[in-house]
Amino acid sequence: MAMDMDQLRRIFYEECRENLEVLERGLLALDLGAANFESMNTIFRAAHSIKGGAATFNLDDISHFTHVMETLLDEAREGNRQLDRQTIDILLRGVDCILAMLEAYENDAEYDKSEPDAVNAALNAIMDSDDSASSSSNDLSSAPLSTDLAPQEPAGSDIEKWAICFVPDPAMLFSGNDPVRILRELHALPGGAEVRCDPTHLPNFAQLDPEKLYLRWDIQVDGHVPRDEIEAIFEWVEDECDLTITPIHRSVPSDMDAASTAAEAPATEPQTPENASSSEPPPAVKKANKPAVKSDASVSSIRVDIDKVDNLINLVGELVITQSMLAELSSDFSPERLEQLQSGLEQLMLNTKELQESVLNIRMLPISFAFNRFPRLIRDLSLQLGKRVELVIEGENTELDKTVLERISDPLVHLVRNAVDHGLETPAVRMEKGKPETGMVHLNAYHQGGSIVIEVSDDGSGLDKERVWRKALDKGLISDDIPLCELTDSHVFNLVFSPGFSTVEQVSDVSGRGVGMDVVRRNIEQLGGNIDVHSTVDQGCSFKISLPLTLAILDGQLVKIAEEVYVVPLISIIESLQVDSRQIKTASGVQLYRLREENIPILRLKEEFGLGSTDDDLDKQLLCLVEAGDKKVGLLLDELLGQQQVVIKSLESNYARVPGISGATILGDGSVSLILDIQGLITQFLARVSDASGHIAAA
Amino acid sequence: MQTGVESDTVLDIDDRVEQLQGSDYLSFELDGELYGVDIQTVEEIRVWSPPTLIPRSPAFILGVINLRGMIVPVMDLRIRFQASQVDYHRETVVLILRASEMANGKIMGVVVDAVSDVVDQGEGQIMPPLGDSQVIAYVSGLLNVGERVMSLVNVDELLRIERWI
């Protein structure tokens, strides 16, 4: 039972997160004036579900807090209130508060109550201030003992109590509603509640259906509680019960009519509502103890598209069929049936491959998981910085491995923040430059070959080549013997990723970019990807991140370098060719291979890895052209072996990071083969070549 | 090479000797000397098979092997301890050792000349190591075994990769 509760709670946490997302997204859309009645309803429903769910699980802080938000949203939905920017701001802060509370509950931790209190106060203030203006709207502030009363009721304090007659449908339990929860909520109202159960409709034991509800309740609630608040408690079940709420006036207790039977009995005794709570039977303990939740449970779970699971099940089915076919074959095998065996094995291979792909596919999530947080980020930033920003997101359905996704989020946030903070100009400056006042930040994700590309671009001021160069000189990242005009744009711009570049305060004033960009690059390179920057002054700046689709498996080309077998990721290879020694030119101390008008630096892997020296007769050798981040290099090797998918194993877990090697794999014969880190090799090699020749090697 | 570490090794040597009390040791031969490691740190003993080279590694790192799907580096302790003779034949063995979780929990193969017995410390007294040599930084104590003296190797120290990379 306890287990079940935990499970349900976890589902609730997940749903609550989703609802919070819906709420946030809706509010942001509202802010842009893009809302309609339907979206308003969606927002309201999200808040409502959060509140209801939280109440069910005794997360009182959340349910009470959300109640106020919900009330305000309800008024807006009914058209009784306009949500202005300021209100949306506060509601968004409210979303953050709920998230914080949720996290606190999940981890059984404490949270800072000051922010929720502040938001609560602000929301109440908004509702109070508008109350006089919009007479039709009701203030349902949950603040204890609110003096506001529902307008239908006579004003003043002559309502002593509310008499509630609550007759649930017998089938109510089937809808998942539980009267105990409602009673508990009533009990939690200021002044408590007097509850009396009416068991007279219970059938004989023989006719009793244990899944039906035969009980009715007569309830009395303190008269200071606004009627709407009581109605709100019953909102979830209003279609599933007969409900009458009647006021009992102080002077004339006989004034009740409709609910006479209901009210009469209890009306006599509860003159002192304070006593009521002590004599109450409801099992609810106010501020119920926090659920003991195993932390991190939700963090490691994954929500999978049902289609993917169905596909897996189909594949497993096929695999089982193939297996039984082979089993049958083996029980009665003769050489004539060899062909049958071969086709069976082929089938098995096919199944395994498909199964492998599908299993990997389960880890794939749409990149919208990472992109979703950006509308909010942009909104907050634009307010904070006084800029106008429009965010355009494309390709949010592109799928990416969960691990990659998790680790790419922070770098992306960094880039987007930079784009708004340093890239985009203020509206005034933009006008001066003849650009539209509103700046654009563009997020785009798409597949390219076996990798995924994520672009973050803006139409801001762009990078100033000279300033970046000067900064790099100051920091000693480059030597000053090469004039700026001889450096390519991309070489200069890529300096913003240098580790030293970011340590300066106020980089934004000087270069427009830079804080922590080295960390961004490192994170991306750790994922086996690379990042590149393009920029045009006053037209904007664009960062292009290219990532492998998955971290677990790659298509590899096995190559032989001096008796050792290495794996080159197939995705990096452009082509492989037999070396024609006439095409090898030496220019400024660097060996280049002339291939169709292109000069490609040659990297002698044998020397690079200390495996001996390359034979002078290069004609017998192979050149494998590889590319990473727009840079090409020819790897000199002895032999090309087969291609195969390899499972990537970490070299670091028992050893250490090795430059030029991204990991290891185990080949079919059980031997270990190392996987080349093309990006790392190229970067290292070009850096060394440029040192040696005193020139920047433009690839 | 490891000069910086020695002072610190000497400082807490009493603690280390303390920890060693009452353990069983797997003893092995290296260049005619007897060494021992706490048997708890030994995962398994394997016959020698050539590993895959790792580029730019120190000379005593021979490469990596596949240990049931894990990539495990192999180091030749004879090269590391500058033994006079290093050759690989059919009797050459690889001890697979695991550092404690407190160190880094890494697993590594260690090539030695030959494995001898498991030695129970019994009544024997562990004495602090003496003198100054290449090896002393990794030795936490000495134990008399019959006519011979066994150097007790501290596996956590031995497998501390950050020292030599």
Side-chain angles (χ1 to χ4, degrees):
Chain A
M1 183 63 196
M3 234 350 261
D4 288 347
M5 212 43 198
D6 267 1
Q7 254 171 18
L8 287 175
R9 211 172 267 140
R10 273 202 290 277
I11 293 170
F12 164 70
Y13 289 145
E14 254 175 65
E15 278 176 358
C16 190
R17 282 222 155 79
E18 276 168 24
N19 278 319
L20 282 172
E21 257 174 48
V22 170
L23 198 56
E24 184 174 73
R25 216 178 306 142
L27 287 169
L28 288 171
L30 272 186
D31 193 27
L32 299 171
N36 51 25
F37 180 70
E38 194 36 57
S39 61
M40 205 49 236
N41 262 336
T42 313
I43 297 174
F44 172 77
R45 270 200 303 273
H48 187 67
S49 319
I50 294 171
K51 187 191 85 170
T56 311
F57 287 101
N58 288 335
L59 310 182
D60 294 343
D61 291 0
I62 295 182
S63 62
H64 289 159
F65 182 83
T66 316
H67 178 71
V68 189
M69 285 175 67
E70 185 200 352
T71 310
L72 196 111
L73 289 170
D74 190 29
E75 287 173 23
R77 178 178 69 146
E78 303 276 330
N80 294 333
R81 177 182 291 283
Q82 287 297 312
L83 294 181
D84 56 8
R85 192 160 198 156
Q86 193 207 350
T87 314
I88 292 175
D89 263 349
I90 294 170
L91 286 169
L92 282 170
R93 273 170 66 194
V95 171
D96 294 343
C97 290
I98 300 171
L99 194 63
M101 290 188 224
L102 189 70
E103 274 167 9
Y105 274 119
E106 263 179 307
N107 300 316
D108 216 357
E110 289 295 313
Y111 63 92
D112 182 13
K113 290 197 170 54
S114 58
E115 173 71 2
D117 288 347
V119 173
N120 214 328
L123 287 171
N124 281 324
I126 289 172
M127 288 195 283
D128 284 345
S129 66
D130 284 10
D131 219 34
S132 47
S134 58
S135 57
S136 59
S137 75
N138 311 319
D139 188 344
L140 304 188
S141 154
S142 72
L145 293 173
S146 161
T147 48
D148 294 301
L149 285 172
Q152 307 95 302
E153 303 304 335
S157 56
D158 64 324
I159 301 176
E160 184 171 10
K161 294 203 169 296
W162 295 102
I164 305 163
C165 179
F166 175 39
V167 184
D169 279 359
M172 184 198 224
L173 295 174
F174 288 105
S175 64
N177 283 306
D178 185 349
V180 173
R181 184 178 69 76
I182 293 163
L183 297 177
R184 212 179 280 168
E185 253 185 84
L186 286 170
H187 188 59
L189 289 172
E194 176 99 353
V195 182
R196 187 161 285 218
C197 182
D198 172 11
T200 49
H201 291 81
L202 270 176
N204 299 332
F205 188 75
Q207 281 142 18
L208 186 83
D209 179 348
E211 294 189 332
K212 283 195 176 154
L213 188 60
Y214 302 101
L215 300 176
R216 301 168 173 204
W217 285 272
D218 296 323
I219 306 152
Q220 289 210 345
V221 176
D222 190 278
H224 288 99
V225 178
R227 185 188 192 114
D228 299 50
E229 200 168 318
I230 299 170
E231 282 174 346
I233 290 173
F234 286 98
E235 192 164 2
W236 281 60
V237 294
E238 60 194 352
D239 308 334
E240 293 175 299
C241 68
D242 285 331
L243 185 69
T244 15
I245 303 177
T246 337
I248 306 173
H249 295 278
R250 197 173 286 282
S251 45
V252 266
S254 61
D255 206 14
M256 335 159 234
D257 37 50
S260 54
T261 47
E264 241 167 294
T268 50
E269 88 186 38
Q271 299 299 335
T272 48
E274 292 80 8
N275 292 349
S277 54
S278 59
S279 61
E280 288 291 319
V285 184
K286 219 184 157 193
K287 294 274 168 198
N289 41 343
K290 284 184 183 173
V293 178
K294 317 282 176 295
S295 56
D296 290 343
S298 67
V299 183
S300 56
S301 75
I302 183 169
R303 287 204 149 197
V304 182
D305 191 346
I306 192 77
D307 285 350
K308 292 183 179 177
V309 179
D310 284 348
N311 188 29
L312 258 185
I313 293 169
N314 283 342
L315 284 171
V316 172
E318 277 181 45
L319 194 67
V320 170
I321 294 168
T322 311
Q323 185 250 337
S324 58
M325 179 183 100
L326 286 171
E328 193 207 288
L329 205 61
S330 74
S331 67
D332 178 27
F333 188 73
S334 59
E336 305 88 72
R337 301 180 74 182
L338 185 64
E339 207 167 299
Q340 227 178 321
L341 176 71
Q342 272 166 345
S343 82
L345 287 173
E346 219 162 86
Q347 185 67 38
L348 183 69
M349 207 172 71
L350 209 67
N351 289 153
T352 318
K353 193 168 182 316
E354 278 179 28
L355 197 60
Q356 181 200 39
E357 273 167 20
S358 301
V359 169
L360 287 178
N361 202 10
I362 281 203
R363 296 182 53 89
M364 304 294 272
L365 293 175
I367 199 164
S368 54
F369 277 84
F371 281 0
N372 273 345
R373 49 158 64 167
F374 290 119
R376 177 72 191 278
L377 181 75
I378 294 275
R379 183 180 188 274
D380 290 353
L381 275 176
S382 60
L383 284 180
Q384 192 186 333
L385 299 167
K387 293 177 181 175
R388 291 170 147 216
V389 189
E390 189 186 339
L391 177 71
V392 181
I393 294 182
E394 275 179 80
E396 65 261 45
N397 290 327
T398 315
E399 291 196 326
L400 199 54
D401 186 273
K402 184 168 181 274
T403 324
V404 183
L405 196 63
E406 278 164 2
R407 283 160 57 184
I408 199 64
S409 283
D410 287 343
L412 279 181
V413 168
H414 200 97
L415 291 175
V416 170
R417 202 191 295 267
N418 267 5
V420 179
D421 190 3
H422 309 317
L424 293 182
E425 312 92 332
T426 55
V429 176
R430 290 182 67 87
M431 293 286 271
E432 247 170 61
K433 288 181 178 174
K435 295 201 262 190
E437 267 185 290
T438 305
M440 293 269 275
V441 173
H442 201 120
L443 280 174
N444 193 6
Y446 53 90
H447 286 288
Q448 194 173 62
S451 59
I452 186 167
V453 177
I454 307 170
E455 280 181 3
V456 180
S457 46
D458 62 67
D459 65 347
S461 52
L463 291 170
D464 185 326
K465 191 174 168 186
E466 195 185 329
R467 284 184 176 168
V468 175
W469 180 67
R470 284 200 184 287
K471 187 91 245 166
L473 276 187
D474 287 352
K475 295 269 113 199
L477 297 171
I478 45 172
S479 57
D480 58 358
D481 49 4
I482 310 144
L484 176 64
C485 55
E486 284 182 19
L487 297 173
T488 62
D489 282 5
S490 82
H491 182 82
V492 175
F493 293 152
N494 277 307
L495 287 171
V496 300
F497 297 115
S498 316
F501 205 85
S502 60
T503 53
V504 214
E505 305 283 309
Q506 299 300 315
V507 169
S508 52
D509 296 337
V510 188
S511 68
R513 302 275 165 183
V515 182
M517 289 300 257
D518 58 321
V519 182
V520 169
R521 181 165 72 176
R522 201 180 325 134
N523 285 348
I524 289 166
E525 283 178 357
Q526 271 169 9
L527 290 170
N530 61 66
I531 180 166
D532 216 2
V533 51
H534 295 274
S535 175
T536 316
V537 170
D538 281 344
Q539 283 183 26
C541 192
S542 160
F543 289 87
K544 193 166 160 185
I545 303 168
S546 158
L547 292 168
L549 277 179
T550 168
L551 292 179
I553 286 192
L554 64 80
D555 283 311
Q557 165 77 55
L558 305 188
V559 303
K560 206 170 203 178
I561 305 163
E563 298 313 302
E564 293 282 311
V565 177
Y566 288 90
V567 180
V568 184
L570 212 51
I571 176 181
S572 317
I573 300 180
I574 308 167
E575 62 179 292
S576 302
L577 44 102
Q578 190 84 41
V579 172
D580 176 359
S581 54
R582 285 166 303 173
Q583 299 301 326
I584 296 179
K585 323 281 172 193
T586 307
S588 44
V590 182
Q591 273 202 326
L592 301 169
Y593 197 85
R594 178 79 163 269
L595 182 71
R596 298 184 290 268
E597 298 309 305
E598 212 176 346
N599 292 317
I600 294 153
I602 299 173
L603 173 52
R604 293 169 176 241
L605 278 178
K606 212 180 265 182
E607 278 95 338
E608 183 80 14
F609 288 164
L611 300 172
S613 55
T614 317
D615 203 336
D616 274 341
D617 186 10
L618 291 177
D619 282 310
K620 285 185 194 143
Q621 304 258 302
L622 289 164
L623 197 67
C624 179
L625 245 62
V626 290
E627 180 183 45
D630 290 347
K631 303 217 167 33
K632 286 180 198 159
V633 156
L635 304 178
L636 204 58
L637 19 113
D638 291 335
E639 208 179 319
L640 284 177
L641 307 170
Q643 292 178 4
Q644 73 176 66
Q645 279 204 326
V646 298
V647 179
I648 303 173
K649 303 260 178 183
S650 159
L651 202 58
E652 269 163 275
S653 57
N654 287 313
Y655 185 62
R657 204 176 150 70
V658 179
I661 302 293
S662 61
T665 190
I666 294 166
L667 300 179
D669 62 357
S671 65
V672 178
S673 182
L674 300 181
I675 303 167
L676 301 188
D677 168 17
I678 300 300
Q679 172 77 42
L681 277 173
I682 291 182
T683 315
Q684 262 176 37
F685 174 65
L686 291 183
R688 209 172 49 230
V689 167
S690 63
D691 280 352
S693 64
H695 278 80
I696 304 299
Chain B
M1 193 160 123
Q2 291 85 9
T3 42
V5 194
E6 278 174 39
S7 56
D8 152 274
T9 315
V10 174
L11 271 180
D12 57 13
I13 203 79
D14 289 339
D15 291 346
R16 288 223 231 130
V17 170
E18 189 72 26
Q19 279 171 20
L20 290 172
Q21 298 296 340
S23 304
D24 283 343
Y25 296 95
L26 179 69
S27 65
F28 55 87
E29 297 273 345
L30 209 95
D31 203 24
E33 282 189 37
L34 193 64
Y35 289 86
V37 287
D38 186 340
I39 196 114
Q40 305 278 346
T41 64
V42 181
E43 292 271 309
E44 65 179 85
I45 301 170
R46 286 166 69 99
V47 293
W48 161 257
S49 63
T52 301
L53 302 179
I54 303 176
R56 306 190 191 91
S57 56
F60 56 82
I61 292 294
L62 303 173
V64 280
I65 54 165
N66 163 18
L67 182 76
R68 294 183 300 275
M70 265 183 303
I71 306 292
V72 173
V74 176
M75 111 171 113
D76 195 321
L77 204 57
R78 304 168 299 183
I79 302 177
R80 188 151 180 206
F81 286 178
Q82 294 172 340
S84 55
Q85 215 173 2
V86 174
D87 46 21
Y88 304 96
H89 39 80
R90 276 198 307 199
E91 287 79 40
T92 307
V93 289
V94 184
L95 304 181
I96 308 289
L97 304 179
R98 185 195 282 273
S100 70
E101 284 305 322
M102 259 159 43
N104 49 26
K106 293 192 176 185
I107 301 179
M108 200 178 291
V110 172
V111 183
V112 298
D113 281 347
V115 172
S116 336
D117 303 313
V118 175
V119 178
D120 177 5
Q121 189 204 322
E123 298 299 303
Q125 274 296 312
I126 293 176
M127 297 151 288
L130 302 168
D132 181 24
S133 80
Q134 177 76 27
V135 180
I136 210 92
Y138 308 102
V139 174
S140 34
L142 303 175
L143 184 68
N144 289 339
V145 180
E147 295 299 302
R148 307 179 73 181
V149 179
M150 179 167 74
S151 307
L152 306 178
V153 175
N154 183 311
V155 171
D156 284 0
E157 289 296 320
L158 192 69
L159 301 194
R160 243 166 67 182
I161 290 174
E162 57 278 16
R163 278 193 169 179
W164 27 267
I165 287 188

